[in-house]
Amino acid sequence: SQTIHQWPATLVQPVGSPLSLECTVEGTSNPNLYWYRQAAGRGLQLLFYSVGIGQISSEVPQNLSASRPQDRQFILSSKKLLLSDSGFYLCAWSPTLGDEKLFFGSGTQLSVL
Amino acid sequence: KQEVTQIPAALSVPEGENLVLNCSFTDSAIYNLQWFRQDPGKGLTSLLLIQSSQREQTSGRLNASLDKSSGRSTLYIAASQPGDSATYLCAVPVGADGLTFGKGTHLIIQP
């Protein structure tokens, strides 16, 4: 069966520090991968999605970047965090692009102070 | 641009009641709709996925309906239990770019 791992679960970082959140999927090949952010009162916002290694599409201009160095690994990064980057970050995967269910990781609560 | 709205934003009912959560979307050209459940501080769990050719899907005490022409979906929960307390979100695909989500309905089932 397929599983998705996301870490860390919580993170407190000072403004201006770098960020690296990692997500890995097991039990499937060539998944579509997504990073979402959930801010208080704003719902889920799609940040990045990837259909293959090295292929990243960005939905929202921002202080963040994503990379997919391996088929089942998706990384969310920032060189310098802003206060506005605080939120709940969720990684997700789907077997096909838009046709099937979306499966989410357990999330990372990021607080930038 | 597709917009998804969920009403009510919050709902509190006594245990055992049947209840309906509503979801509306502005662009009816969707090919499926999903309902998710989110527990506090956790990720989302997919509950039901309705293809555009279907009118409803059932899983246990949950029944989701889809009316594309009117841009609406409902999630019906029968015989509610305290364990059903969570935030329920609906979402529709946006082209090839993942999903657009509503802001959710925060449901509390009182024991």
Side-chain angles (χ1 to χ4, degrees):
Chain A
S1 64
Q2 301 89 2
T3 57
I4 179 169
H5 302 280
Q6 186 181 343
W7 68 93
T10 60
L11 191 59
V12 180
Q13 293 284 102
V15 169
S17 63
L19 172 75
S20 181
L21 303 181
E22 189 163 343
C23 172
T24 60
V25 181
E26 296 179 358
T28 187
S29 295
N30 195 32
N32 299 310
L33 297 171
Y34 308 85
W35 278 110
Y36 283 87
R37 177 169 59 200
Q38 189 175 35
R42 296 189 60 185
L44 278 110
Q45 179 185 36
L46 178 64
L47 302 176
F48 301 96
Y49 69 96
S50 172
V51 300
I53 296 174
Q55 301 178 60
I56 309 294
S57 296
S58 175
E59 287 298 298
V60 182
Q62 60 211 323
N63 184 41
L64 303 168
S65 62
S67 62
R68 186 170 176 173
Q70 300 180 38
D71 180 45
R72 291 169 290 177
Q73 183 185 28
F74 206 24
I75 298 173
L76 182 69
S77 304
S78 174
K79 293 182 179 178
K80 290 185 177 181
L81 283 169
L82 306 172
L83 288 173
S84 57
D85 292 324
S86 294
F88 191 52
Y89 289 82
L90 289 154
C91 179
W93 75 278
S94 68
T96 60
L97 198 62
D99 289 328
E100 299 291 338
K101 288 185 178 180
L102 199 60
F103 300 93
F104 282 84
S106 55
T108 296
Q109 183 64 54
L110 172 66
S111 298
V112 182
L113 306 177
Chain B
K1 179 184 176 183
Q2 178 75 273
E3 293 184 2
V4 180
T5 303
Q6 290 187 246
I7 296 173
L11 182 63
S12 180
V13 300
E15 180 179 4
E17 283 198 7
N18 303 324
L19 56 98
V20 175
L21 308 181
N22 296 292
C23 172
S24 62
F25 43 93
T26 54
D27 186 349
S28 61
I30 62 170
Y31 47 89
N32 65 46
L33 181 144
Q34 290 189 51
W35 282 94
F36 293 85
R37 168 184 173 141
Q38 185 177 27
D39 293 288
K42 304 294 184 182
L44 280 70
T45 300
S46 181
L47 298 173
L48 291 163
L49 182 148
I50 312 175
Q51 300 291 351
S52 60
S53 58
Q54 300 171 320
R55 295 192 66 85
E56 63 178 52
Q57 278 282 349
T58 298
S59 176
R61 293 182 294 106
L62 305 179
N63 176 276
S65 67
L66 175 63
D67 184 344
K68 275 188 58 177
S69 60
S70 66
R72 295 179 184 175
S73 176
T74 62
L75 180 66
Y76 175 82
I77 303 177
S80 57
Q81 303 171 359
D84 295 329
S85 298
T87 296
Y88 291 81
L89 300 103
C90 67
V92 296
V94 182
D97 301 348
L99 302 178
T100 293
F101 286 81
K103 292 185 178 181
T105 293
H106 180 54
L107 177 65
I108 296 175
I109 306 299
Q110 306 155 12

